[in-house]
Amino acid sequence: MAVGILLTLLGVCSYVFWKQLGASHPSVTALIPAFVGVPLMILGWLALLKPQVRMHVMHAAVVLALLGFLASLGRFISVMIKNPRLGAGSGATLLMAIICGVYVALCVRSFIAARRARQAGG
């Protein structure tokens, strides 16, 4: 849920403070991190609310975060190839890639630890 909150704040702040960040006009694309963050918050809330579906919900959250990571990293790389100047938009895209990438890595690590614990106990 914390990752969802971070991504939502990143998207909303990028959209609300577009002028201070140097953009010529506000764009809905600035909200893309929020479009990933809100579903992650909902999935986290659902995992807390219904423990019997926690494993499935967490796998869905990791898939969503992985898609967010791949999309934002791909976008960042294509923007840097065209114009190798780190602006507010490309900075927000890089930040989204970092947040999603760290989340995916931590989740995979957690899944591996849970599987090893199950195998050791079973």
Side-chain angles (χ1 to χ4, degrees):
M1 288 175 61
V3 170
I5 292 169
L6 281 174
L7 289 172
T8 302
L9 286 174
L10 176 63
V12 170
C13 288
S14 296
Y15 185 79
V16 170
F17 300 113
W18 62 272
K19 196 167 197 163
Q20 290 85 352
L21 294 173
S24 58
H25 61 284
S27 175
V28 176
T29 58
L31 291 171
I32 289 174
F35 296 153
V36 174
V38 170
L40 281 176
M41 285 190 297
I42 292 169
L43 289 169
W45 176 75
L46 191 59
L48 289 175
L49 189 65
K50 297 189 175 217
Q52 64 272 21
V53 297
R54 179 175 294 147
M55 183 176 71
H56 302 296
V57 170
M58 293 312 298
H59 281 88
V62 172
V63 168
L64 180 63
L66 180 61
L67 291 173
F69 169 73
L70 293 173
S72 58
L73 184 64
R75 177 71 179 151
F76 178 76
I77 290 170
S78 69
V79 166
M80 285 293 112
I81 288 171
K82 292 178 187 173
N83 183 11
R85 192 190 90 221
L86 187 64
S90 55
T93 304
L94 178 62
L95 193 54
M96 179 179 169
I98 291 169
I99 292 170
C100 287
V102 168
Y103 178 70
V104 169
L106 291 175
C107 285
V108 168
R109 186 174 158 204
S110 172
F111 293 162
I112 291 170
R115 175 169 287 201
R116 285 184 180 157
R118 255 193 335 265
Q119 289 174 345

